[in-house]
Amino acid sequence: MNFNVVLFAFLFVSTVNVQAYVISRQTSVSDGCATIYSEFITTQKTSFSYADAKDCYESFPFDKDVASKTIDTLTGLIGGFYSFLDKAKEPPQHGFDFRSMDLIAELELFRNKSYTTLYDFTKIKVFDDTIDRSNNDCEVTHIDGQQAFNVISDYAKNSVFMSRDPSVRFNIALDRAYVSFAKRTELPIKPDIICTLKCNNTNEFNIKRNWTAFASSRILNKFNDSKSYFDNICNPTKGSKQPASSSFGLRKIAKTFNVVNGILAERDQSVTIIRTVDEFVSFYKVQDFGVVKIVTEFPAAISDALLANVTQGLKDLNALLMNVTQGFKDLANTGVKKVVLDLSDNIGGLLYVILFFNLLLFPNTYPTFDFDIRVTEQMKLAITEQFKLATLNNIFDMSYYVNSKTRANFTSADDFIGNNIYTRGCVMGNYSNKHVVSDSSLNEIIQFIQNLTTPLPWKPEDYIILTNGLCGSACAFIAEHAVEYNNVTTVAVGGIASNPLLSYASFPGGAVINSTQIFDSLEKLGLLNNTLIPKPFPLTGTFVNFPMDEVYSKINPDEILEFSYRPAKFRLFYDEQNIRNNSILWSQAAALIGSK
């Protein structure tokens, strides 16, 4: 089977990884940050040499005190607020491939390590060699002298985190839109890569490609040397901090949308673009069926407004959702009887958008699953204080939820917390009463949809969900709801050929919380000085994301979806044609609608 890989690029971005937490404010004599800034100002170019990026990153010596405090904060956050701390100790279900671990013990191993700097059967084919396009579609037999498949699969296993399914991680490693083997946020170990190619059964030959670092002008305008890079990106003053949510992530979303439309530029004449809604959702008619490509559940157009002002952000979001609803109506008016829901390369978004799609697509089924929260001493303290301040909105505000059994509002912290003891990873722990989104919140969305449109004409059996397995968080929530509540058929594409099955979704667990949001909420509650609460990271530019909720299956009410292996019913593979022309892949998926 054939797979395709984009070669070669390296991302120079503001994302901070674990070792970035241990830098100090000293500036090296050789200042790669200053060189990068100088080139940017002089030429306005946004790509730079590996050597300068490496020198910039490595210009910050190790600071043991910062490192120790960072580990303290991570340990406190994960111990107090991470929902799957104990579940992570369990071995994986069959079909998954990950190492079960005690996360707290793993973090402690870093405390005494010594660092010097911040940075101490299947064919792989070239998708797009921009230097020599004659290499496109040539087989990559070896990378740096090792078999290409082994190099990619090892990278997928050890460096890709967005799925527990090894075949999905393999897809992500070869992906054209997200961080992958060819596009990284960490420094590769050397400045170039040597690939051995075989084209049209000719003799093998080697090509060398240099890693190139690149960044947006938004980042490049924030520093002019190592010291200002540290002060403005790694450790900005609180007032100048960027929202930790993800300008980088949203740029990736935009990139994905552009990739989709770029591929459609090579489409056959049977494809009609019905409607495009921002960098969010697009609608197509292909031959006699429809396609709805959902790129994200967190559209870039409303991100800044939503982060700055929730009320204004929701108004902007509702305006976008009106356009999405019109797109579905326009598609229905073409008379198509079958619809491909393409959820590939979708890493999630907002609960509000999840509920909108679930209610719009499947109005006759309940739109959400049951949640609960691991109740630690820290979590209990935060929720209790929140209930005392009922008017304060933050991540510990549970007023949006009701008891999943009774649908009654929670009247107190004790009512929400309950007395539930479950065993995860051989550890007995306390968990909250199961809860769902309140009926009042659902009714707002239901009313919004009913005011816009009559029900869509398609039944669950008229849809098929297509993914490459990278359908995470909010996207997975939509996919799992379609499957569990409505028995919608799924098809997954790509993966490792020797693995017979491929997941259609990844990490469908509870909403991801940013540590900056946690500390901001704790500060509003007056808890930052409480001895139970971890101290904020010593560097203000540092943050970590993790889920705070568990999400339960409808079919098996005691099964946590995050750790459930859910392979697609059907399987497709990429080839030289469908990887470049999505309409072919969509046609292959549409042909499976109604199949047994």
Side-chain angles (χ1 to χ4, degrees), residues 385-399:
E385 289 301 309
Q386 171 60 44
F387 265 93
K388 294 178 182 177
L389 302 170
T391 60
L392 178 66
N393 289 326
N394 66 29
I395 64 171
F396 301 108
D397 183 358
M398 302 304 162
S399 63

Side-chain angles (χ1 to χ4, degrees), residues 557-591:
D558 294 326
E559 184 178 17
I560 300 172
L561 288 178
E562 175 85 17
F563 287 81
S564 301
Y565 180 57
R566 300 297 177 87
K569 183 175 182 179
F570 296 104
R571 179 81 172 276
L572 298 172
F573 288 96
Y574 290 117
D575 58 33
E576 292 86 344
Q577 285 73 46
N578 65 23
I579 192 70
R580 287 189 166 83
N581 186 344
N582 268 2
S583 63
I584 297 174
L585 195 60
W586 293 336
S587 296
Q588 293 170 331

Side-chain angles (χ1 to χ4, degrees), residues 312-383:
Q312 182 59 49
L314 286 177
K315 287 182 180 179
D316 293 346
L317 179 58
N318 282 340
L320 276 182
L321 296 182
M322 289 177 64
N323 274 332
V324 171
T325 305
Q326 187 61 49
F328 276 102
K329 292 171 66 175
D330 292 346
L331 186 61
N333 289 338
T334 68
V336 295
K337 304 299 183 184
K338 301 186 293 185
V339 177
V340 176
L341 297 174
D342 187 348
L343 304 179
S344 300
D345 286 327
N346 181 325
I347 60 174
L350 302 173
L351 178 60
Y352 188 93
V353 177
I354 295 172
L355 299 174
F356 165 80
F357 277 116
N358 288 350
L359 287 166
L360 180 66
L361 293 169
F362 309 108
N364 297 321
T365 53
Y366 194 69
T368 183
F369 295 97
D370 289 356
F371 302 85
D372 77 2
I373 289 175
R374 186 172 69 94
V375 181
T376 62
E377 291 184 350
Q378 294 86 349
M379 185 68 76
K380 184 175 182 179
L381 176 62
I383 291 173

Side-chain angles (χ1 to χ4, degrees), residues 12-16 33-34 36-38 40-41 46 48 56 60 215-248 251 540-543:
F12 177 78
V13 297
S14 61
T15 302
V16 183
C33 300
I36 288 171
Y37 174 77
S38 177
F40 169 63
I41 292 299
T46 56
F48 311 95
C56 180
F60 310 110
S216 71
S217 57
R218 185 185 67 84
I219 297 297
L220 294 166
N221 278 317
K222 281 190 167 187
F223 67 91
N224 55 28
D225 58 13
S226 294
K227 183 181 184 303
S228 57
Y229 184 100
F230 179 87
D231 290 341
N232 298 332
I233 295 176
C234 301
N235 196 33
T237 58
K238 188 168 184 178
S240 65
K241 260 194 312 186
Q242 292 293 319
S245 62
S246 58
S247 54
F248 173 48
R251 288 200 303 277
T540 57
T542 300
F543 59 88

Side-chain angles (χ1 to χ4, degrees), residues 50 54 144 184 186-192 211:
Y50 171 94
K54 183 173 185 291
D144 287 335
R184 308 185 185 184
E186 82 283 0
L187 282 171
I189 59 174
K190 63 189 189 71
D192 53 47
W211 290 101

Side-chain angles (χ1 to χ4, degrees), residues 171-204:
N171 273 352
I172 296 169
L174 296 179
D175 201 278
R176 291 158 292 129
Y178 290 98
V179 175
S180 63
F181 178 81
K183 295 183 291 185
R184 308 185 185 184
T185 56
E186 82 283 0
L187 282 171
I189 59 174
K190 63 189 189 71
D192 53 47
I193 187 170
I194 297 176
C195 291
T196 304
L197 304 186
K198 188 174 184 179
C199 306
N200 299 320
N201 296 317
T202 61
N203 292 332
E204 294 181 348

